[in-house]
């Protein structure tokens, strides 16, 4: 498992690291041109430099999209290749299908998180070119947050909730959502792999069909939720009037449990398809 994970990380890194470095170089160049423009008097601004500044900033902005697109495409493509041209090689290894999925998923989530961190670094560098006299860019001024952030109330009295708990919750939620997104792609690819001669077309069709079904189920679920819970006033339809905290704690916990259940279902179905019904063609 460790060797497989290392192999996946190296394979993905060979593609993503140059993309990160390219985006960083463009942001560094854009920051340098912005700093040059800021240092020069307004009367001495050169048209060529201004045009170059616009072009480089546009390329830097496009590099942000390229970083995220590369992270998703590379990781999805590797799972797609595992069930196609490289399938016999992958499934001849002394590892189980769940280990293949785990290695791909861990590498996908890890590389995507690193891509986001790379974008934060690029954004910070890009903002250095517009820094004020204190050396801090006005676009990246620190946001002051109350260490005791209160969003819950019981009988009108606020409950002090540490900001660290909110950050931990949001981090866990984003990781679960990220994993669900990749597992959804994996499931569509596994379904498409049942038709080896039309694997790509079947995967695309599976994606759109499953997306439509999930959207329909989501709308129905939201309508059902609206019949029993009115978030604006926090009152249940059946005459039950609990406090905000009584409603919010189960709601927030339910969101996490929903994504945990979704990940488990996507994983189990995908593993079943590639374990029992895979058709490599």
């Amino acid at each position: 498992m460790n060797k497989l994970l290392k192999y996946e990380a190296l394979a993905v890194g060979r593609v993503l690291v140059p993309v990160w470095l390219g985006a960083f170089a463009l942001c560094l160049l854009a920051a340098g041109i912005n700093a040059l423009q800021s240092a020069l008097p307004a009367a001495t601004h050169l048209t060529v430099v201004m045009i170059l500044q616009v072009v480089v900033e546009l390329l830097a902005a496009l590099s942000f999209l390229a970083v995220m697109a590369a992270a998703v495409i590379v990781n999805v493509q590797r799972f797609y290749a595992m069930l196609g041209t490289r399938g016999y090689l992958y499934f001849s290894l002394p590892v189980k299908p769940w280990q293949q999925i785990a290695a791909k998923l861990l590498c996908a989530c890890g590389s995507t998180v690193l891509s986001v961190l790379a974008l934060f670094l690029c954004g910070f560098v890009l903002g250095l070119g517009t820094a004020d006299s204190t050396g801090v860019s006005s676009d990246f001024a620190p946001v002051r947050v109350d260490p005791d952030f209160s969003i819950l109330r019981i009988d009108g009295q606020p409950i002090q909730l540490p900001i660290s708990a909110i950050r931990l919750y949001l981090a866990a939620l984003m990781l679960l959502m990220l994993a669900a997104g990749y597992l959804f792609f994996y499931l569509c690819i596994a379904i498409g792999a049942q038709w080896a001669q039309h694997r790509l077309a079947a995967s695309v069709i599976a994606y759109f069909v499953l997306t439509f079904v999930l959207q329909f189920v989501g709308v129905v679920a939201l309508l059902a939720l609206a019949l029993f819970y009115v978030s604006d006033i926090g009152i249940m339809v059946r005459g039950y009037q609990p406090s905000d905290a009584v409603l919010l704690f189960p709601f927030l916990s339910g969101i996490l449990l929903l994504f945990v259940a979704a990940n488990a279902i996507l994983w189990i179905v995908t593993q079943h398809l590639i374990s029992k019904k895979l058709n490599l063609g």
Side-chain angles (χ1 to χ4, degrees), residues 79-213:
F79 191 86
Y80 181 82
M82 184 185 73
L83 301 186
T85 55
R86 299 182 181 179
Y88 291 106
L89 173 62
Y90 277 103
F91 288 98
S92 64
L93 299 174
V95 292
K96 297 180 180 180
W98 72 265
Q99 292 175 311
Q100 296 278 11
I101 299 175
K104 292 281 190 299
L105 183 61
L106 287 174
C107 187
C109 292
S111 61
T112 303
V113 171
L114 290 177
S115 295
V116 173
L117 295 178
L119 291 183
F120 276 112
L121 179 60
C122 290
F124 176 77
V125 171
L126 189 61
L128 291 179
T130 58
D132 56 20
S133 59
T134 63
V136 179
S137 170
S138 59
D139 295 333
F140 293 90
V143 178
R144 299 185 180 276
V145 179
D146 188 350
D148 294 325
F149 181 68
S150 177
I151 58 174
L152 306 179
R153 293 178 179 273
I154 291 183
D155 297 329
Q157 299 299 319
I159 302 175
Q160 298 301 323
L161 187 63
I163 195 65
S164 58
I166 299 176
R167 290 171 178 170
L168 182 62
Y169 175 85
L170 292 177
L173 181 60
M174 286 187 289
L175 286 175
L176 286 172
M177 293 173 65
L178 180 62
Y182 277 114
L183 285 172
F184 182 74
F185 280 120
Y186 294 171
L187 175 60
C188 296
I189 294 172
I191 294 174
Q194 308 306 308
W195 294 271
Q197 302 303 320
H198 306 282
R199 193 158 54 95
L200 180 59
S203 299
V204 172
I205 293 173
Y207 174 83
F208 284 108
V209 171
L210 290 179
T211 300
F212 173 78
V213 172

Side-chain angles (χ1 to χ4, degrees), residues 56-71:
V56 174
E57 287 184 347
L58 177 61
L59 291 176
L62 291 176
S63 70
F64 279 52
L65 298 177
V67 167
M68 293 310 302

